[in-house]
């Protein structure tokens, strides 16, 4: 029973992260937030003007939708393979998938920042 609860919690977390990325990306694409709101791609460069803000948020949203569409089913399928296994196996799968989720989040942040600098020739 303890392993089942651990497995369920692990599935919710590793599938929830890319699902949230996908949902947030779709929300931003359908309803672009203004610069002053609490969510959106906020960086030193994206806050310079509205053009940079929209470029950064559109790029990030599309990237998050694509990443979410790939990682959500991949994480779910991977976690199916450890169903009914011991605690160490479940935690190993969980840790590996969580690492992929976190790397995806970080990659998207740095990728969009790089594109902002290249596209608009911004300087530090």
């Amino acid at each position: 029973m303890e392993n089942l609860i651990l497995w369920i919690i692990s599935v919710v977390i590793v599938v929830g992260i890319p699902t949230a990325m996908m949902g947030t990306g779709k929300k931003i694409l359908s309803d672009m937030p203004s610069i002053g709101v609490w969510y959106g791609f906020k960086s030193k460069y994206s806050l310079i003007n509205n053009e940079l803000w929209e470029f950064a948020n559109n790029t990030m949203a599309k990237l998050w939708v694509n990443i979410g569409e790939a990682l959500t089913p991949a994480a779910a399928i991977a976690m199916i393979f450890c169903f009914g296994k011991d605690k160490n196996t479940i935690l190993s799968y969980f840790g590996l998938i969580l690492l992929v989720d976190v790397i995806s989040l970080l990659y998207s942040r740095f990728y969009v920042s790089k594109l902002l600098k290249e596209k608009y020739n911004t300087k530090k």
Side-chain angles (χ1 to χ4, degrees), residues 58-112:
N58 276 326
T59 305
M60 178 65 102
K62 289 174 186 172
L63 189 58
W64 276 21
V65 168
N66 291 335
I67 290 171
E69 287 175 345
L71 287 184
T72 300
I77 291 168
M79 289 305 292
I80 288 171
F81 286 112
C82 69
F83 180 76
K85 303 288 186 196
D86 62 298
K87 182 179 177 179
N88 288 336
T89 304
I90 294 169
L91 290 175
S92 296
Y93 275 74
F94 171 73
L96 184 60
I97 299 167
L98 188 61
L99 180 64
V100 171
D101 289 348
V102 170
I103 288 171
S104 298
L105 284 166
L106 292 174
Y107 167 78
S108 60
R109 169 77 181 178
F110 290 114
Y111 178 73
V112 172

Side-chain angles (χ1 to χ4, degrees), residues 47-64:
L47 295 172
I48 292 173
N49 62 40
N50 212 33
E51 180 184 7
L52 292 171
W53 174 259
E54 288 186 11
F55 172 79
N57 279 280
N58 276 326
T59 305
M60 178 65 102
K62 289 174 186 172
L63 189 58
W64 276 21

Side-chain angles (χ1 to χ4, degrees), residues 3 22 27 54 65 74 117 124:
N3 288 346
M22 189 171 38
K27 169 69 175 153
E54 288 186 11
V65 168
K117 291 175 191 174
K124 287 187 174 181

Side-chain angles (χ1 to χ4, degrees), residues 35-36 41-57 113 116-117 120-124:
I35 291 179
F41 184 83
K42 292 186 179 186
S43 71
K44 184 166 106 176
Y45 302 109
S46 68
L47 295 172
I48 292 173
N49 62 40
N50 212 33
E51 180 184 7
L52 292 171
W53 174 259
E54 288 186 11
F55 172 79
N57 279 280
S113 291
L116 269 175
K117 291 175 191 174
Y120 295 99
N121 198 22
T122 56
K123 297 179 181 175
K124 287 187 174 181

